[in-house]
Amino acid sequence: AADYESLIDHPVEIADFIERQFTAGGVLHRMVFTNPLPETDFDRIASDVARICETEIDLFDGAPFDEYLFLVALDESGFGGLEHRDSTALIFPRGHLPSVTAVGVSKEYQRFLSLCAHEYFHNWNVKRIRPAAFAGLPLDRPAHTRLLWVFEGFTSYLDDWLVRHAGLIDETQYLAALEETINRAMRGKGWSRQTLEESSFYAWTRFYQQDANAVNAIVSYYTRGAIVALMLDLMLRERGSSLLDVMRRLWEAHGAEPLPEGERIETLIEAAMGESMRGFFDRALRSTDTLDVGGLLARFGVSMVPRAEQGGPDAGVRVDLRDDRAARVTLVFEDRPGATAGLAVDDRVIAIDGFAVSGTNWADRIARHRAGDSLHLHIFRQGRLLETTLRLAPECLNQHRLEHAPGDSAIEARRAQWLALAEQAPVER
Ligand SMILES: [Zn+2]
């Protein structure tokens, strides 16, 4: 390695593996899989990922490395990825990769493709376009930046979009993935407690160290960042530009020179937009106001219909659905019935109105009531029996369903342009 920074940026794994190779942008790519199930369709996976790589390389007019390695560690249920300058280390459930007889792109396989697109996009956005706060790698202490909404937010929005752009999924599959991203950001009320810039700046102490109350207390720079990226992309497209134009400008201006904290990125986006975005940035990055993503999506022929996470009356808690002895509370949502009743995470609800309940039948039992009903609960909290009253509320419509809502020709043209496929150069095999 050239230096210590390069050395620690190259992950090493020693194991039996299966390898596939492809060339994209004239550069050799290798995919290495460990612990796969039999009959996994490695050829198909390599060919699909090659299209993603080719698409991203085209967007930036060339690959910034001489060769690239996907290290895919397959396990039972893990999920994650870490970006490096010439490689990425992924963890993914082995059962979610397609078998040789599989047809179409399953929701699970779509997640794998998005994960690959995400880490690969980091080759530009964070590994080479770097926040100045990361320059020089202060390894003995956390590095703080307010810009993770750019590095993770933009990347989280564009990962699904790139899988669509590469032609691997259709519009319906894309909208389902976008819906999931938007819904994750709005599940709790953390977005009303922390701004996006704060979420980024306090990543080390808040986001990386989440406690049971995180859903009520913090917002994710991944998901809210992705929503801001989506809104910017749509606004830019209405003005003849796009978020990818911004990425290319960023690459040109800051591919070598680190991106400073402060307004530099906002100025760069405003230049692509052709107008001041001060009001939007103040609201999206430095306030906890709601963002009108639905209004923007409507102009692109997509309706955003409010819905509940689950139908029926709302108890305002989540329980461990696999526990067949008690309904163990895993999340308590602020300002909803469970919180009002004083329920806490790890409480084990053992009876509703005198009848035993567990995680496996909790949802059925709640569904047998109506909003406004008062339920008498018996709970074990750290081994002590408590009783409380849970008053069910109407269903909580904090989630949304995204649907194609055909509009006039201008709307249809905008949507078609937003979700268009790349003019794909054939992948060399
Ligand atoms: Zn990332």
Side-chain angles (χ1 to χ4, degrees):
D3 51 30
Y4 183 65
E5 184 180 337
S6 316
L7 179 69
I8 60 170
D9 195 40
H10 287 78
V12 174
E13 185 181 5
I14 299 174
D16 290 331
F17 59 83
I18 287 174
E19 181 179 354
R20 290 294 183 274
Q21 299 189 353
F22 58 86
T23 305
V27 169
L28 174 69
H29 289 62
R30 291 185 296 150
M31 296 192 82
V32 166
F33 302 85
T34 52
N35 296 308
L37 288 177
E39 301 295 316
T40 299
D41 196 346
F42 300 107
D43 292 333
R44 174 189 176 187
I45 296 166
S47 138
D48 289 347
V49 172
R51 281 167 72 174
I52 292 170
C53 297
E54 196 76 46
T55 303
E56 296 194 24
I57 290 170
D58 277 357
L59 292 171
F60 288 100
D61 255 350
F65 35 70
D66 300 327
E67 65 177 288
Y68 193 83
L69 173 66
F70 287 90
L71 278 167
V72 189
L74 297 167
D75 75 1
E76 187 65 28
S77 59
F79 179 88
L82 190 60
E83 67 277 7
H84 300 281
R85 278 179 74 87
D86 311 297
S87 64
T88 180
L90 311 176
I91 299 172
F92 196 75
R94 60 178 67 89
H96 289 179
L97 289 182
S99 73
V100 289
T101 56
V103 183
V105 175
S106 68
K107 198 175 165 206
E108 291 77 19
Y109 181 43
Q110 189 178 338
R111 278 180 85 212
F112 177 76
L113 296 173
S114 290
L115 178 64
C116 291
H118 181 106
E119 303 308 335
Y120 200 76
F121 197 75
H122 276 318
N123 286 323
W124 293 272
N125 196 25
V126 94
K127 292 310 291 185
R128 289 174 176 82
I129 304 166
R130 293 189 304 164
F134 289 4
L137 278 180
L139 293 173
D140 56 345
R141 72 199 98 103
H144 300 286
T145 171
R146 295 185 194 278
L147 295 173
L148 293 181
W149 61 277
V150 176
F151 296 106
E152 289 300 358
F154 284 19
T155 307
S156 294
Y157 162 63
L158 288 169
D159 57 18
D160 293 322
W161 184 89
L162 284 160
V163 175
R164 163 63 192 159
H165 197 56
L168 296 166
I169 53 172
D170 61 27
E171 284 191 21
T172 307
Q173 288 170 304
Y174 172 69
L175 288 182
L178 183 61
E179 173 182 307
E180 172 70 19
T181 301
I182 292 173
N183 283 339
R184 267 192 290 147
M186 297 183 178
R187 206 153 269 164
K189 289 184 82 178
W191 56 264
S192 69
R193 292 284 179 278
Q194 195 187 41
T195 70
L196 197 45
E197 284 195 346
E198 287 166 351
S199 169
S200 172
F201 195 76
Y202 296 107
W204 286 83
T205 45
R206 306 295 303 279
F207 192 80
Y208 297 163
Q209 299 180 37
Q210 296 190 23
D211 60 18
N213 194 44
V215 71
N216 301 310
I218 66 170
V219 67
S220 160
Y221 48 81
Y222 285 88
T223 51
R224 182 159 163 124
I227 291 175
V228 169
L230 162 71
M231 295 180 76
L232 285 171
D233 193 26
L234 298 185
M235 288 188 281
L236 285 158
R237 285 174 186 279
E238 285 190 310
R239 290 158 181 81
S241 179
S242 73
L243 194 64
L244 288 165
D245 282 345
V246 167
M247 285 310 308
R248 281 187 287 259
R249 283 166 193 247
L250 248 181
W251 177 231
E252 212 166 282
H254 293 284
E257 192 70 23
L259 180 68
E261 297 292 300
E263 290 174 6
R264 174 76 185 122
I265 179 65
E266 294 167 37
T267 313
L268 225 131
I269 294 169
E270 285 174 333
M273 198 79 74
E275 63 187 83
S276 168
M277 296 293 293
R278 189 69 202 204
F280 176 79
F281 286 127
D282 282 346
R283 196 166 61 251
L285 309 178
R286 293 178 279 275
S287 91
T288 54
D289 293 351
T290 52
L291 300 171
D292 183 20
V293 58
L296 259 176
L297 281 170
R299 297 211 289 278
F300 284 76
V302 174
S303 66
M304 196 167 148
V305 185
R307 66 173 173 89
E309 197 167 354
Q310 58 213 137
D314 180 40
V317 295
R318 250 196 236 168
V319 304
D320 179 355
L321 299 174
R322 295 158 307 179
D323 193 331
D324 58 6
R325 288 171 304 173
R328 190 177 63 79
V329 176
T330 55
L331 280 178
V332 179
F333 293 101
E334 197 171 285
D335 297 336
R336 284 165 63 182
T340 310
L343 290 178
V345 168
D346 279 339
D347 280 353
R348 297 171 64 242
V349 184
I350 54 166
I352 295 177
D353 291 337
F355 293 101
V357 68
S358 72
T360 50
N361 62 11
W362 169 262
D364 290 341
R365 295 289 300 282
I366 296 296
R368 281 180 173 260
H369 293 273
R370 296 174 183 207
D373 284 0
S374 288
L375 279 49
H376 188 69
L377 304 187
H378 280 84
I379 303 156
F380 273 119
R381 177 175 298 168
Q382 295 186 337
R384 183 162 175 214
L385 186 64
L386 302 173
E387 297 173 44
T388 187
T389 301
L390 177 72
R391 189 156 193 270
L392 297 176
E395 57 182 1
C396 177
L397 301 175
N398 67 352
Q399 302 284 281
H400 294 84
R401 186 169 43 249
L402 297 192
E403 275 167 4
H404 178 198
D408 61 29
S409 58
I411 286 178
E412 288 302 292
R414 278 198 287 270
R415 204 194 67 263
Q417 194 254 13
W418 170 39
L419 299 178
L421 302 182
E423 280 177 37
Q424 192 87 33
V427 176
E428 306 157 39
R429 299 304 300 264

